[in-house]
Amino acid sequence: MTRVRIPPSPTGLLHIGTVRTALYNYLFAKQNGGKMVFRIEDTDKERSTKEFEDDIVNGLVKLGIAGDEGVHIPGDKGYRQSERTDVYTADLKKLLDEDKAYFCGCTKERLEEMRNEQRAKKLAPRYDGECADKKLTEGVIRLRIPADRGDIKWNDLVRGETIIHAKELDDFVIARGIDDPLYHLTVVADDHDMEISHIIRGEDHISNTPKQILLFEALGWEPPEFAHLPLILNEDKSKLSKRKNKVSIDDYLAEGYLPEALLNFLALLGWNTPDEQEIFSLDELAEKFTLDRVHKGGAVFDVKKLDWINGEYIKNMIAKDVDGFYEMAKVFIVGNVPTEDEALIKKILQDPDFEGRFKKLSDIPEGLAPLFSELPDYSMDLIAREKFQITPEMLKDVMNKAIEVVNGMDWEKGDSNQNQKISDAFVGIVGELGLKNGQVLWPIRVALSGLERSPNFATLAVYLGKEEVLKRLQAALEKIG
Ligand code: GLU
């Protein structure tokens, strides 16, 4: 049976990289009719906190990829390393009894001196085995690597045959004491006890894999299969970092990225289909995902692509179920858009002129504001934009004509069916005055919005209503003087 796991350490908020690893494990389990275990690696007591654990657990649950067993299932026990200390102590005793591990009493100073000597001789620093045969009964515990072990190989399901040369490894520390196990021991014990068949994790763990294989062997257990996922990179190809990108999933959700869109984006961060499909539901991903199409090279975190994918999800959701969309987006809208008219907001969201304008839910208030807000003060430079070569006379003619045109029309505020009619009427001014498009339509749009960027003039007019449009055109006329 396929059994995979996601074992985050609760030493920070839920990280984008953890979500991608969880997602790939989730997809792999689902596809193979297997199970995914969600456990918490909290052996590092100083850096682990309950707050971080809650954030990670809630986040994966919210995203729907927390798996089948583990810390997130009410009542389940034994999925936190802090709940399993007895198991680790028993494993350590077994290794010591069988002489596969030994206590080491070397002081920091001695180890430092040893390393300096090795460096001076241009050798890689490694433990020299000083305590290997001393039969000490306290100190840190080191794994004894069999002298004849040879190179360590595994067939990585992403990277292919991988070899680590025996000389690169030394008798590494697996516990600070009999009751104080370290990561390599706990992870191996957990993976064995939880019957994990495949370890799918980030490439940053490659150097851990040979050590863990040695531990599996020392404990007399069969190691699982390994697959190492490519690193996630900043745009400049450095390793994804807080300084250059937001890395906590909470930040993305708070900005109005949709969980489904984030998962879709993360699925493509290191994997693709042969036909380069970009938009997938989670079920579709589970059907199409394969480890052999996971890339070996690093995956650049492209925010523009995330925005595009998120925009597509927003667009599709509005088209399919505007009420459901509004419910979800409400926290971003209510209080931030200067109207409480829910029906009107839904109408605007469905207006073709707004289609694809919202990349994130947090874009909505800004996009809708010009339709409701007081007219912001704007400059003559803006309305008479230089590149259109607009003279004050032209501006006056345009505004007067626009007022005349609007006076001759009627439309119900918010009726987007009138958009074309209004648009045609304003465009008609261009020919009538013998001017260029930009010389007419730019100043009208600025007169209506006061902004450098806004929805187009006809859409503004529809939602502002006839009266307000006349007021704003008049104001422009006065401003021109
Ligand atoms: N606890 C480790 C981490 O958060 C994961 C270890 C593993 O996947 O083996 O990076």
Side-chain angles (χ1 to χ4, degrees):
M1 162 117 169
T2 300
R3 287 177 58 86
V4 296
R5 51 23 154 223
I6 180 75
S9 307
T11 53
L13 297 172
L14 179 55
H15 190 281
I16 277 286
T18 306
V19 177
R20 190 202 48 178
T21 303
L23 175 63
Y24 283 22
N25 276 282
Y26 171 90
L27 296 174
F28 187 74
K30 199 145 187 214
Q31 186 173 62
N32 292 290
K35 295 244 183 290
M36 171 170 154
V37 176
F38 180 7
R39 64 176 197 242
I40 288 287
E41 298 201 332
D42 56 357
T43 33
D44 184 345
K45 292 181 204 79
E46 265 147 47
R47 292 173 59 224
S48 300
T49 74
K50 178 82 175 85
E51 286 70 33
F52 289 144
E53 179 182 317
D54 289 347
D55 183 75
I56 293 168
V57 174
N58 294 339
L60 289 186
V61 168
K62 193 155 43 175
L63 292 167
I65 52 168
D68 309 279
E69 286 173 27
V71 277
H72 60 302
I73 309 278
D76 266 17
K77 283 220 167 36
Y79 291 98
R80 257 175 221 93
Q81 291 186 332
S82 52
E83 293 164 352
R84 290 175 40 81
T85 28
D86 294 353
V87 174
Y88 310 131
T89 301
D91 290 337
L92 282 169
K93 281 200 176 125
K94 179 169 167 236
L95 288 171
L96 288 165
D97 286 350
E98 294 177 5
D99 204 27
K100 292 181 173 152
Y102 58 86
F103 282 107
C104 165
C106 290
T107 60
K108 256 202 210 121
E109 292 71 29
R110 172 174 189 273
L111 292 173
E112 188 57 41
E113 210 173 292
M114 174 195 82
R115 277 189 217 111
N116 286 340
E117 271 170 37
Q118 288 167 339
R119 259 186 230 115
K121 289 188 203 146
K122 303 237 176 323
L123 296 169
R126 63 204 303 270
Y127 183 61
D128 59 3
E130 169 81 9
C131 298
D133 299 311
K134 283 192 181 160
K135 307 243 176 292
L136 300 178
T137 53
E138 54 183 26
V140 302
I141 303 174
R142 290 182 183 273
L143 184 75
R144 187 190 301 281
I145 302 184
D148 56 354
R149 175 56 182 79
D151 295 344
I152 295 147
K153 296 185 196 151
W154 73 93
N155 184 23
D156 196 289
L157 298 178
V158 171
R159 307 165 60 85
E161 171 112 306
T162 308
I163 301 180
I164 305 290
H165 297 290
K167 64 174 186 317
E168 288 172 37
L169 294 165
D170 62 358
D171 289 357
F172 58 97
V173 178
I174 55 174
R176 285 196 205 92
I178 198 76
D179 293 319
D180 197 358
L182 291 172
Y183 161 68
H184 291 301
L185 183 94
T186 56
V187 82
V188 166
D190 291 351
D191 285 334
H192 171 74
D193 294 353
M194 296 172 195
E195 296 175 25
I196 300 303
S197 62
H198 294 76
I199 293 184
I200 304 170
R201 61 184 175 190
E203 196 183 287
D204 44 332
H205 286 288
I206 284 193
S207 60
N208 295 331
T209 299
K211 297 183 181 175
Q212 292 168 13
I213 290 176
L214 288 170
L215 261 169
F216 273 104
E217 288 174 0
L219 285 156
W221 302 330
E222 182 74 20
E225 303 254 24
F226 289 91
H228 289 94
L229 309 176
L231 289 182
I232 304 179
L233 308 175
N234 295 311
E235 226 132 330
D236 62 6
K237 304 274 163 81
S238 54
K239 189 176 165 192
L240 186 74
S241 67
K242 252 196 244 180
R243 270 176 301 117
K244 300 196 175 136
N245 270 298
K246 290 185 284 287
V247 295
S248 125
I249 204 83
D250 295 342
D251 290 341
Y252 288 91
L253 294 172
E255 243 191 272
Y257 289 98
L258 312 188
E260 301 81 2
L262 276 167
L263 292 180
N264 189 148
F265 169 73
L266 290 175
L268 294 172
L269 212 50
W271 171 84
N272 66 352
T273 54
D275 62 359
E276 307 267 324
Q277 182 180 345
E278 303 268 30
I279 303 290
F280 301 85
S281 69
L282 199 52
D283 284 342
E284 211 175 344
L285 281 172
E287 210 177 284
K288 301 200 168 173
F289 180 80
T290 52
L291 278 179
D292 61 9
R293 288 198 61 84
V294 172
H295 313 159
K296 293 191 186 70
V300 173
F301 192 97
D302 178 356
V303 181
K304 278 199 216 79
K305 182 158 179 182
L306 171 60
D307 283 351
W308 175 77
I309 291 177
N310 203 56
E312 289 296 294
Y313 274 79
I314 290 180
K315 188 167 87 185
N316 294 339
M317 208 169 158
I318 290 174
K320 241 197 260 157
D321 173 18
V322 74
D323 296 324
F325 177 81
Y326 183 83
E327 274 316 301
M328 181 191 62
K330 223 161 141 181
V331 283
F332 290 87
I333 297 174
V334 175
N336 294 323
V337 172
T339 175
E340 280 168 21
D341 188 339
E342 203 176 299
L344 181 63
I345 294 177
K346 286 182 190 168
K347 235 188 210 169
I348 300 170
L349 291 171
Q350 290 171 286
D351 188 316
D353 193 44
F354 284 88
E355 191 183 278
R357 268 181 187 261
F358 307 120
K359 300 291 177 224
K360 297 168 272 178
L361 300 180
S362 59
D363 293 340
I364 295 178
E366 204 185 312
L368 300 196
L371 308 181
F372 303 104
S373 311
E374 296 288 304
L375 182 65
D377 198 16
Y378 56 89
S379 67
M380 279 308 285
D381 280 352
L382 181 63
I383 194 163
R385 170 134 299 182
E386 208 184 330
K387 78 167 182 199
F388 297 124
Q389 297 180 310
I390 305 173
T391 64
E393 285 65 40
M394 268 182 215
L395 275 181
K396 261 190 233 163
D397 290 349
V398 168
M399 293 306 145
N400 277 320
K401 198 77 199 161
I403 290 169
E404 190 188 310
V405 164
V406 173
N407 267 325
M409 275 197 297
D410 243 329
W411 71 90
E412 195 192 326
K413 185 170 163 172
D415 179 3
S416 57
N417 294 323
Q418 304 298 310
N419 195 302
Q420 193 59 47
K421 187 176 92 184
I422 297 171
S423 177
D424 290 346
F426 282 133
V427 171
I429 300 174
V430 176
E432 248 179 275
L433 295 181
L435 297 173
K436 296 199 177 106
N437 269 344
Q439 292 171 327
V440 174
L441 304 177
W442 173 269
I444 290 180
R445 197 192 55 72
V446 173
L448 297 186
S449 69
L451 298 171
E452 173 146 18
R453 277 150 27 110
S454 75
N456 79 43
F457 58 89
T459 304
L460 289 165
V462 165
Y463 293 102
L464 290 169
K466 175 169 169 170
E467 218 176 301
E468 185 63 25
V469 168
L470 282 172
K471 229 164 77 190
R472 293 188 178 195
L473 293 171
Q474 197 63 48
L477 202 53
E478 278 155 30
K479 198 177 182 88
I480 300 157

